[in-house]
Structures are given as structure tokens and as C-alpha cells.
Amino acid sequence: MFVALAKRLRGEFEARLAPLGIHAGQDRLLQELWREDGITQRELIDRLSVEPPTVTGTVQRLEREGFLTRRPDESNRRIQRVYLTDAGRKLEGPVRKVWREVEADLVTGLSKADRKRLQVLLAQLFDS
């Protein structure tokens, strides 16, 4: 059921993020930059727990779309830092709205008590 639910949620995210010009997964990378702009690609790899080519490809696509830019580190020119553009910063509100809407739609049929219980159970699974 987890796999089926994950596929369903990914489809929902894809459909709702597409009008914003991004794909599911790219929002996670953007989220890290909303938390801390100007981090290195290595830091993105570590924070997202993905392979280097995944981050490189995602950064390149988001850069082509004008949502971020890469610049060499001032003290070590071999290190690339990733920065949001104005367009990338403006995505934060709409993307967070998509996250809230998908989550709300997912639990629509649950009572308030069931929603709370689900939060507790998911937190336990996440922390284990």
C-alpha cells in the first residue's frame, strides 16, 4: 500500500507542480535552497540523500528554466554554489500551497482523530 500511495502522491504532485514549471522532486531541491540559499552541490547531495548525477541534472534543468544559478565559491573556485533567482524565490509560496493541498486532499475522508493518529504513526515510522 505504501508503494501504491507513493505513486498516487507523485502523480498528484506532478500534475499540480507542472503549471509552475517544475517536476516532482525538483521541489525538494528548491526547498533546501529556500532554507539556505547559496549552498554547494555537495551539500545538496548530502541533504537530499541522492546520487551526484541526480543533483547535477536537476540543477541544470532548474538553471535552464531560470529558477536558479550556479556561481563559483569566492574562496575556492572549484566549488560551485547554487543560488535561487527571483523566479526561484517566487516559487516558494505556490509550491508550499501545492504541498498543503495534496496533503489535505489525501486525508479528506479521515476524521480529525484519525488524522491526528495518522500523524503520530507517520512520525513514528519516520523516526525509526
Side-chain angles (χ1 to χ4, degrees):
M1 286 198 292
F2 280 116
V3 172
L5 182 58
K7 286 181 180 181
R8 181 175 139 203
L9 288 172
R10 183 161 181 95
E12 282 294 317
F13 283 119
E14 281 292 341
R16 294 179 192 213
L17 292 172
L20 301 176
I22 62 172
H23 300 285
Q26 292 176 334
D27 55 328
R28 290 184 55 226
L29 187 143
L30 289 166
Q31 179 183 21
E32 291 304 324
L33 294 172
W34 294 327
R35 285 185 191 154
E36 184 180 356
D37 199 16
I39 60 177
T40 66
Q41 286 189 219
R42 167 55 41 197
E43 289 170 310
L44 284 168
I45 291 162
D46 293 342
R47 291 179 187 193
L48 297 172
S49 300
V50 296
E51 296 297 317
T54 301
V55 166
T56 300
T58 302
V59 166
Q60 289 172 343
R61 283 186 293 278
L62 290 169
E63 189 172 34
R64 271 194 310 270
E65 296 299 322
F67 296 122
L68 54 83
T69 186
R70 289 178 286 178
R71 295 194 300 264
D73 182 86
E74 291 180 9
S75 61
N76 184 345
R77 312 261 318 145
R78 292 174 294 173
I79 297 172
Q80 291 285 309
R81 293 200 171 271
V82 183
Y83 295 91
L84 293 163
T85 61
D86 287 340
R89 278 185 213 85
K90 289 178 184 174
L91 277 178
E92 184 175 7
V95 167
R96 290 190 186 283
K97 182 176 185 244
V98 165
W99 292 341
R100 285 189 305 272
E101 289 172 352
V102 170
E103 184 177 305
D105 288 351
L106 178 67
V107 298
T108 296
L110 300 178
S111 69
K112 190 173 183 177
D114 284 343
R115 289 179 194 183
K116 182 63 181 164
R117 182 71 182 138
L118 179 60
Q119 283 181 320
V120 169
L121 291 171
L122 289 173
Q124 287 175 351
L125 288 172
F126 187 78
D127 292 336
S128 63

